[in-house]
Amino acid sequence: MSKKDFYEILGVSKSATADEIKKAYRKKAIEFHPDKNPGNKEAEENFKTAAEAYEVLSDPDKKARYDQYGHAAFDGAGGYGGGHHMNMDDIFSQFGDIFGGAFGGGFGGFGGNGGGQRRVKGSNLRIKVKLTLEEIANGVEKKVKVKRKVQAPGVKYKTCSTCNGQGQVLRVTNTILGRMQSATTCHVCGGSGQTIESKPNNADAHGMIMEDETVSIKIPAGVVDGMQLKVSGKGNDAPGNGIPGDLIVAIEELEHEFLKREGENLHYDLYISFPEAALGVSKEIDAVNGKVRIKLEEGIQSGKILRLKGKGIPSLNNYGNGDLLVHVNVWTPKTLTKEQRQFFEKAMTDEHFTPKPEKSDKSFFEKVKDMFS
């Protein structure tokens, strides 16, 4: 089942400003807030969906990638990426301040009905993964070693006495409009609602230790340089009963020796000699899935572009593969023997060597136009 367009979810256009997007999200969030719709599963799903849309559209980099690739820019294998389905703890951890004074800022927490304890989220980690063009074309699973903070064995927490486990402290101030109530993050526990009771000697002030972990990342075919994928829960742990952060994976595309990428299409410069161009020749060239043999007809002209359908990079939107464009270049020798020079001097007056372009032989500018049309 296809996912609904993020702009449609928030009710804004693609040209909407950051403030307009934020305002639209706040309106949706208040409309479907769980405290306002207790027990309403549909409202809860709409609340999560709106947060999911805002997470992408509020980030300029994610928004640009979404505008170009749609949901496929984030829906990587294994359920990671900016377009994941968010849970309540994620939403209130990231966007709770947007609700302002309309609600307490937590799910059934501050100002809500449940009186529950807030769960903070651990910090995200970022790594860069270098991929060859072949790995990008076929998809790949990478195993990377990540140094992340985890809760130390034997650490014990207790309820924060300052906020009584709520993670926030309520403050009441008198204004000309009357008494105003606001909630701020507890300065003692940092919003977790818990403080350290006892911890091992090797743990830090929050009861955490550094630990190496090997993380398996399934990277789908067709990713682009600079794209960021997300592996949920593989960032730093949070103290107590908090939610682990995420591992952000930045893609770096390594340059190929022969192939140049342009979106889903690949370009290959093929150099041939005068005799090969005149007589025709069969050539073997590199492609992302191995060697490909092509046949050049007699009298092929320099600048000719041969299109090999489906030999490019797969589309992230599952629209099939791009093409491999082979650019034929007739190589002109820079040095000649005496006999070769005499041959070409004689050929200069031979009518067979006089350029006679046909209407089917497109100019350079026409070829460039065709490439981008």
Side-chain angles (χ1 to χ4, degrees):
M1 187 175 179
S2 59
K3 297 185 70 173
K4 194 174 180 181
D5 180 76
F6 283 159
Y7 291 100
E8 186 180 346
I9 290 171
L10 296 185
V12 296
S13 66
K14 284 192 175 183
S15 60
T17 65
D19 286 340
E20 288 172 338
I21 291 173
K22 183 175 182 179
K23 184 178 180 180
Y25 169 58
R26 186 177 188 274
K27 183 178 179 181
K28 292 289 183 181
I30 292 176
E31 178 184 354
F32 297 116
H33 196 286
D35 287 353
K36 192 175 181 181
N37 303 273
N40 188 331
K41 289 295 182 183
E42 183 178 353
E44 182 178 325
E45 286 303 311
N46 288 334
F47 184 75
K48 292 178 181 178
T49 303
E52 182 182 355
Y54 181 70
E55 183 198 23
V56 172
L57 300 185
S58 63
D59 184 301
D61 180 57
K62 290 180 181 179
K63 183 179 183 295
R65 285 184 280 128
Y66 178 75
D67 289 345
Q68 185 173 4
Y69 298 105
H71 293 295
F74 307 100
D75 291 341
Y80 56 88
H84 69 292
H85 197 70
M86 303 181 73
N87 59 45
M88 289 298 185
D89 294 305
D90 285 333
I91 296 169
F92 289 116
S93 174
Q94 295 181 50
F95 311 130
D97 60 317
I98 292 177
F99 308 142
F103 297 94
F107 180 37
F110 328 109
N113 299 320
Q117 179 176 295
R118 185 188 184 198
R119 297 180 68 192
V120 297
K121 187 174 183 178
S123 58
N124 293 339
L125 294 175
R126 286 173 171 79
I127 62 168
K128 182 178 289 185
V129 173
K130 298 181 179 182
L131 300 177
T132 65
L133 204 53
E134 288 81 4
E135 290 173 329
I136 290 174
N138 297 291
V140 66
E141 183 172 354
K142 290 281 188 179
K143 294 185 183 295
V144 296
K145 183 173 286 188
V146 178
K147 189 178 290 290
R148 54 190 295 262
K149 288 183 179 181
V150 298
Q151 203 170 110
V155 66
K156 293 182 179 179
Y157 297 91
K158 62 181 179 181
T159 301
C160 176
S161 57
T162 302
C163 64
N164 294 320
Q166 295 300 302
Q168 289 191 347
V169 178
L170 295 177
R171 292 181 179 177
V172 179
T173 53
N174 294 316
T175 70
I176 58 174
L177 299 176
R179 292 167 62 85
M180 301 293 290
Q181 181 175 284
S182 62
T184 58
T185 301
C186 177
H187 68 281
V188 175
C189 65
S192 67
Q194 295 179 314
T195 55
I196 296 288
E197 183 176 2
S198 62
K199 64 181 181 66
N201 293 330
N202 62 334
D204 64 15
H206 301 289
M208 314 297 285
I209 58 174
M210 297 298 294
E211 189 174 87
D212 289 333
E213 180 176 343
T214 299
V215 179
S216 180
I217 308 169
K218 291 182 179 179
I219 301 174
V223 293
V224 297
D225 186 76
M227 179 176 285
Q228 293 186 353
L229 308 176
K230 180 162 70 177
V231 185
S232 298
K234 291 302 180 180
N236 289 322
D237 279 353
N241 67 338
I243 308 163
D246 303 316
L247 177 63
I248 308 300
V249 183
I251 301 298
E252 180 180 347
E253 182 179 313
L254 298 175
E255 187 174 349
H256 195 276
E257 185 178 3
F258 304 110
L259 299 169
K260 300 295 181 183
R261 182 179 181 183
E262 181 193 28
E264 279 86 44
N265 292 331
L266 297 174
H267 296 268
Y268 183 94
D269 275 315
L270 175 63
Y271 289 89
I272 60 175
S273 66
F274 275 158
E276 290 174 328
L279 302 175
V281 68
S282 178
K283 287 284 187 178
E284 191 174 69
I285 64 172
D286 290 283
V288 286
N289 290 314
K291 300 286 186 179
V292 176
R293 182 165 291 278
I294 60 173
K295 187 176 182 180
L296 308 180
E297 73 274 12
E298 294 181 8
I300 193 167
Q301 300 298 312
S302 186
K304 178 79 172 179
I305 300 176
L306 306 177
R307 184 181 294 268
L308 304 184
K309 289 283 188 181
K311 294 296 183 181
I313 301 294
S315 166
L316 271 173
N317 291 317
N318 298 317
Y319 293 150
N321 285 30
D323 302 326
L324 173 57
L325 304 173
V326 182
H327 301 259
V328 178
N329 302 281
V330 178
W331 179 260
T332 303
K334 296 181 180 180
T335 58
L336 298 171
T337 64
K338 182 179 179 180
E339 292 77 11
Q340 290 169 340
R341 180 173 293 277
Q342 291 174 344
F343 169 80
F344 283 112
E345 286 175 346
K346 183 179 179 181
M348 288 181 70
T349 58
D350 191 320
E351 65 176 50
H352 289 91
F353 285 87
T354 302
K356 296 177 182 178
E358 300 175 356
K359 289 186 177 181
S360 59
D361 296 325
K362 295 182 178 181
S363 68
F364 170 78
F365 296 103
E366 288 175 321
K367 291 172 184 175
V368 172
K369 183 179 178 182
D370 288 345
M371 285 174 56
F372 290 96
S373 62

